[in-house]
Amino acid sequence: MITIIADFDVKNECVDEFIKLARECTMNTKKEAGCLSYKVFEGYSDKAKFTFIEEWANELAIEKHNEMPHFKKFIDAIGPVLNCPPSIKKISRVTVIR
């Protein structure tokens, strides 16, 4: 399993638009083969900071996701609502620690 953590710093005046775009992307992504979990979180003290925590079966599932029309639409649409490019980190669990 591969986990992706993606952080987004959204312009304050664009939070509602980002949530709308994230909702559409999330609803479609959850239907994809290989998507084990796809959750969106907002900052506890800063409601303009968002984090996606995604769990994928394997690298192929991520590659297919990155080519999906709904994901490409999301990526194209979020540029103007962000203060800076997203921070994206790909991680995997340490299997000897449970």
Side-chain angles (χ1 to χ4, degrees):
M1 179 178 68
I2 302 167
T3 301
I4 294 177
I5 300 172
D7 293 313
F8 301 87
D9 181 4
V10 178
K11 295 175 184 174
N12 288 326
E13 66 274 14
C14 298
V15 166
D16 290 340
E17 177 66 16
F18 182 83
I19 290 171
K20 177 184 161 203
L21 294 166
R23 181 184 305 121
E24 182 179 335
C25 181
T26 300
M27 287 175 30
N28 288 303
T29 299
K30 287 181 176 182
K31 299 173 189 173
E32 292 178 39
C35 178
L36 306 176
S37 176
Y38 200 88
K39 297 178 183 176
V40 180
F41 298 85
E42 65 182 0
Y44 186 74
S45 59
D46 186 346
K47 303 296 186 187
K49 307 276 193 222
F50 292 86
T51 299
F52 286 31
I53 300 179
E54 313 167 21
E55 294 178 322
W56 295 93
N58 52 45
E59 190 67 41
L60 181 60
I62 296 169
E63 290 172 12
K64 287 183 178 181
H65 168 66
N66 290 340
E67 294 301 318
M68 297 298 285
H70 61 267
F71 181 70
K72 287 182 173 185
K73 178 182 175 186
F74 173 74
I75 294 300
D76 290 343
I78 62 169
V81 306
L82 300 180
N83 286 314
C84 58
S87 168
I88 300 171
K89 185 170 34 173
K90 196 182 293 186
I91 59 175
S92 58
R93 187 170 181 181
V94 177
T95 57
V96 297
I97 302 174
R98 292 276 174 199

